[in-house]
Amino acid sequence: MKRMNKVKSLYVHIPFCDSICDYCDFTKLLYNDKFAKEYLENLKRELDDYSPFFVETIYIGGGTPTSLPYDYLAELLKMLSKYSSNVKEYTVEANPENLNPEKLSLLKEYGVNRISIGVQTTNDEISKKINRGHTFEEVKQAIKNAREIGFSNINIDLIIGLPNVTKSMFEKDLENIVSLGVNHISCYSLTVHPNTVFYRKNIEEPTPEFARELYDFAHEFLAKKGFVHYEISNWAKEGKMSLHNLTYWNNENYYGIGLGASGYLGSKRYKNFINIQKYGKVGFIEETEEVENKDLRTYQLLTNLRTIFGLDLEKFKNLFNEDLLVTKKNEVYELIKEKLIVVENNKLKSTYEGMMVLDQILLKLI
Ligand code: SF4
């Protein structure tokens, strides 16, 4: 079996936030100066363990990386500059309320070329109800600031199916976001996780029918506005697809650094400690899993079929010594008949309908 060894991407997790949103299940904690200082020291040690390396994409996610005060953010970017000389895409996640011109200039100075802003809803009342700390005016201001400082590559995250958000309110969200001229939009359907305020309040997830209705609207509306629906939950203007996320969806190797981060190196997947009392003190990696051939095959299908680029049948044959069109001939035929997949240029691709019911496709092919 051939393994993919070139590590193209680096994910860095900054777990701090200025406030905690009611639905949030990410690895995060309220900003605390002592923890943040210590955390940066630990990050540096963890990075040193992998040095030297150069990657094509860096993604600083969280948490809210821009909740770090200016000096700490500068320290982080300086630390990462050792690895960023070949970088093509350098993304930092931010919340509108802490994306000020000073921090934006700093990001620019260190080569960051993509900003991903957590918005979730453009309705101020809903935003307040879910404990987001910003208004739509602040979103507009943050984008204006980013543009003035020279960022043209901007993503906005929205949530599909927040409580009390009707279809027309969601339509308004999309209209508002498109009117800001951003070139990438991610829409994730709400999941209510245990250990969240939503869970304690018994908030319900949107029904699959309602979520589908909203996805259908987004799919059609954003297509008319020139966005390509290139992954289940992601839309981009031509040439603005997230290179970093494509590393995940192509099932390729990446470093994951920081609290609770996951990485995939050679044939090993690893997961870091999620407890801040243990991360960097007990060690960095909590679990390592050797990916066996059959699991790698599953990952290949599961990740590749999420995007419109699909699964390269020749590459699949080289990796697993298996011609999917022979071993799964009947299943592929049925899926084509059901209009869930197509075979084009030796690639197996999910249709929009297929992406919406990806589990059904995977059940047949795995
Ligand atoms: S800002 Fe992001 S990471 Fe922080 S609590 Fe809200 S959703 Fe979670």
Side-chain angles (χ1 to χ4, degrees):
M1 181 183 60
K2 291 174 191 162
R3 297 286 198 187
M4 295 156 282
N5 282 320
K6 170 105 177 66
V7 186
K8 286 204 282 193
S9 296
L10 166 67
Y11 174 79
V12 181
H13 193 77
I14 301 297
F16 305 104
C17 291
D18 291 328
S19 59
I20 304 296
C21 309
D22 287 358
Y23 56 85
C24 180
D25 182 47
F26 299 132
T27 306
K28 80 301 174 180
L29 56 146
L30 273 179
Y31 181 79
N32 167 312
D33 197 69
K34 181 179 164 285
F35 278 168
K37 193 169 176 354
E38 210 176 87
Y39 188 75
L40 291 181
E41 284 160 15
N42 284 329
L43 269 189
K44 186 169 181 322
R45 287 199 296 123
E46 194 187 359
L47 279 163
D48 283 346
D49 283 354
Y50 297 101
S51 289
F53 67 85
F54 298 100
V55 284
E56 291 177 14
T57 73
I58 298 179
Y59 192 105
I60 310 180
T64 315
T66 49
S67 70
L68 289 176
Y70 184 93
D71 289 351
Y72 286 0
L73 192 58
E75 201 179 317
L76 171 71
L77 294 165
K78 188 161 177 239
M79 188 192 298
L80 294 173
S81 62
K82 236 165 116 179
Y83 314 98
S84 65
S85 52
N86 295 339
V87 93
K88 292 182 186 156
E89 184 187 273
Y90 194 163
T91 306
V92 172
E93 280 183 357
N95 271 347
E97 68 274 23
N98 45 38
L99 198 55
N100 59 40
E102 293 72 34
K103 286 185 187 172
L104 279 160
S105 299
L106 182 68
L107 298 176
K108 187 91 190 142
E109 189 189 320
Y110 278 95
V112 173
N113 55 19
R114 186 169 182 270
I115 306 282
S116 178
I117 308 177
V119 173
Q120 321 312 352
T121 170
T122 63
N123 182 303
D124 292 349
E125 225 173 282
I126 301 284
S127 186
K128 209 166 161 190
K129 273 197 190 138
I130 61 174
N131 208 29
R132 300 278 307 166
H134 57 80
T135 60
F136 185 48
E137 265 319 303
E138 284 172 301
V139 173
K140 288 198 246 177
Q141 188 59 48
I143 291 176
K144 189 168 173 273
N145 292 341
R147 285 247 170 68
E148 279 169 9
I149 283 157
F151 289 98
S152 56
N153 213 359
I154 300 174
N155 170 59
I156 293 285
D157 280 345
L158 285 178
I159 296 181
I160 280 191
L162 281 169
N164 305 313
V165 174
T166 60
K167 186 174 178 220
S168 63
M169 283 159 81
F170 177 70
E171 290 173 7
K172 185 75 192 151
D173 279 340
L174 281 184
E175 273 167 29
N176 283 339
I177 294 305
V178 167
S179 72
L180 300 176
V182 298
N183 48 29
H184 195 287
I185 299 174
S186 303
C187 297
Y188 293 97
S189 186
L190 174 72
T191 309
V192 177
H193 297 277
N195 299 321
T196 60
V197 175
F198 270 14
Y199 188 81
R200 289 194 288 281
K201 284 187 179 166
N202 290 320
I203 298 287
E204 287 184 5
E205 291 175 1
T207 62
E209 296 73 26
F210 186 54
R212 178 61 198 268
E213 215 182 315
L214 301 192
Y215 269 106
D216 285 351
F217 175 78
H219 180 72
E220 280 169 33
F221 175 78
L222 293 175
K224 280 186 211 140
K225 301 290 176 185
F227 285 83
V228 181
H229 190 178
Y230 74 104
E231 192 269 347
I232 300 174
S233 305
N234 286 278
W235 286 259
K237 288 276 172 81
E238 202 55 56
K240 298 297 177 190
M241 292 155 193
S242 162
L243 297 180
H244 184 85
N245 286 345
L246 284 169
T247 297
Y248 305 146
W249 299 322
N250 289 335
N251 200 22
E252 292 172 324
N253 282 176
Y254 57 93
Y255 300 102
I257 305 287
L259 190 72
S262 306
Y264 179 26
L265 297 177
S267 57
K268 285 195 172 64
R269 286 190 181 271
Y270 65 88
K271 174 111 176 97
N272 278 357
F273 282 102
I274 208 162
N275 182 335
I276 192 115
Q277 306 293 353
K278 290 188 178 162
Y279 171 77
K281 297 183 182 90
V282 178
F284 297 111
I285 297 178
E286 184 171 24
E287 296 163 19
T288 307
E289 175 207 358
E290 179 73 35
V291 182
E292 292 178 15
N293 207 16
K294 71 170 181 7
D295 297 328
L296 185 66
R297 178 188 180 280
T298 303
Y299 280 125
Q300 195 76 13
L301 286 160
L302 200 126
T303 51
N304 290 184
L305 291 171
R306 295 183 68 90
T307 72
I308 55 168
F309 308 108
L311 178 125
D312 186 320
L313 290 162
E314 195 56 40
K315 191 170 161 192
F316 194 85
K317 210 187 277 176
N318 287 336
L319 281 168
F320 308 107
N321 208 13
E322 174 186 345
D323 185 342
L324 211 57
L325 297 186
V326 174
T327 56
K328 293 285 176 183
K329 188 177 166 207
N330 294 340
E331 289 83 350
V332 169
Y333 178 70
E334 273 171 39
L335 290 166
I336 292 175
K337 228 170 72 184
E338 288 168 311
K339 297 195 167 50
L340 298 182
I341 58 168
V342 290
V343 177
E344 264 174 19
N345 303 326
N346 216 18
K347 298 228 171 104
L348 195 71
K349 298 177 182 174
S350 303
T351 59
Y352 168 65
E353 192 58 44
M355 277 189 199
M356 292 293 107
V357 291
L358 190 59
D359 288 356
Q360 281 181 37
I361 300 180
L362 295 172
L363 261 176
K364 288 197 173 157
L365 300 182
I366 287 174

